[in-house]
Structures are given as structure tokens and as C-alpha cells.
Amino acid sequence: MRYIFDDRQEKIDLSDEIYEKIEDIVEEVLDYEGYSDDYDISISFVDNKEIHELNKQFRGVDRATDVLSFPMLSDEFEDVEYEEQSLGDIVISLERALEQSVEYGHSFEREVCFLVCHSMFHLLGYDHDTEENTKEMREKEEAVLTKLNITRN
């Protein structure tokens, strides 16, 4: 597994422990889903302004969000070599993560970990576009986070 971390915001510092937990989550999601760990993954940390711009540009949604996922795995482009090595990109607004941790009453670390886990399942093709898909995705997220002892407290 090769991680490409890009911290493009200046408001919130991440500890080495959070980076380690992020790596644990990525590897656990891959293991949980039966994937090898022979991938690159890019994880960028941004502020609300940048994620707002990205959300508008790529999803047509004119507001900030907490996380965006840009999967590289697909059935459409089987002959593209980089897909076999790059899992995709995750972009997290650390400002929004902090806001949500306060709103939901758990730690900032837990919120960042949840967003990484959630986004990993998006990179692997899962979505929450229906009630059934949402339930399936939430169950997978909880299983991974519980195994790693990342709780809501």
C-alpha cells in the first residue's frame, strides 16, 4: 500500500496517530472486502472553501461537504494501466469534520476515521443512493471501525 497524503489546509493539525489510524482503516477495508493491498491511494485534507469548490465542480452541488471520493476502479476502462495501481482519491474537509464531531458528540479523530472508512467503501463501488444500499454501507463501516476499536466516544 502506498499512501499519498496532501494537507492543503492550514487550520487544523493532524497527529501522527491519526495518520496511522487512517492507514489501518484503508488496509482493514481492503481486507474486509477481499482486496489485496497492492494499491496507491491519495488522501487530501482541505478546508471548507476548497471542498465547496470541488463539490460544485465535480458534483454540481453548490455547498461545502465533508468528504468527496474519486474512485479509479471501474469496469469501463479495463485497459487503462493506472487503474490497477490507484484505488482513487479521497478529499476531506477537516473544518467540516471538526464541525461534525462537535455536532455528533464524538471526537474529531473518530469523525476523520469515519470519513476515511466511508470514502473507502465509495472507492470500492458502494453507494448510499437507496435505503438498502445505505444500510449495507453503514453495516460495513461499523464492522471495520468496531474491529479497529474506533468508537463514537
Side-chain angles (χ1 to χ4, degrees):
M1 205 61 220
R2 183 170 152 233
Y3 297 92
I4 302 160
F5 289 109
D6 183 16
D7 190 353
R8 300 195 302 255
Q9 56 83 50
E10 297 177 357
K11 297 177 182 178
I12 300 169
D13 289 326
L14 292 178
S15 67
D16 290 341
E17 184 178 314
I18 290 180
Y19 281 104
E20 290 170 13
K21 285 188 177 191
I22 289 169
E23 291 177 7
D24 290 345
I25 290 164
V26 169
E27 292 167 19
E28 185 59 36
V29 168
L30 291 174
D31 184 59
Y32 185 84
E33 288 296 305
Y35 283 81
S36 74
D37 64 355
D38 190 25
Y39 291 98
D40 294 345
I41 186 166
S42 168
I43 302 176
S44 299
F45 303 106
V46 300
D47 57 22
N48 283 346
K49 181 181 179 199
E50 184 172 346
I51 208 158
H52 182 160
E53 292 167 4
L54 292 170
N55 203 21
K56 186 174 181 181
Q57 178 182 356
F58 290 101
R59 295 182 60 229
V61 179
D62 191 12
R63 64 176 169 79
T65 189
D66 51 7
V67 64
L68 293 170
S69 309
F70 299 96
M72 297 297 283
L73 292 178
S74 73
D75 296 330
E76 296 177 30
F77 305 106
E78 292 178 18
D79 295 332
V80 179
E81 198 170 300
Y82 65 82
E83 288 183 6
E84 295 175 12
Q85 296 173 0
S86 180
L87 200 57
D89 302 319
I90 295 172
V91 181
I92 296 174
S93 169
L94 292 183
E95 277 184 280
R96 188 69 187 122
L98 182 58
E99 293 164 4
Q100 288 178 174
S101 70
V102 172
E103 181 181 333
Y104 300 144
H106 54 241
S107 71
F108 170 71
E109 178 182 285
R110 196 277 179 191
E111 186 64 18
V112 170
C113 289
F114 170 79
L115 294 173
V116 169
C117 186
H118 178 80
S119 195
M120 279 298 299
F121 281 108
H122 277 308
L123 294 184
L124 297 178
Y126 291 93
D127 206 347
H128 42 83
D129 53 347
T130 67
E131 189 174 318
E132 184 178 320
N133 288 346
T134 299
K135 183 177 184 238
E136 178 183 22
M137 204 166 162
R138 293 292 176 262
E139 287 171 359
K140 290 175 179 292
E141 293 161 354
E142 284 302 316
V144 167
L145 294 172
T146 298
K147 183 170 183 186
L148 294 172
N149 200 29
I150 299 171
T151 63
R152 295 179 191 265
N153 299 332

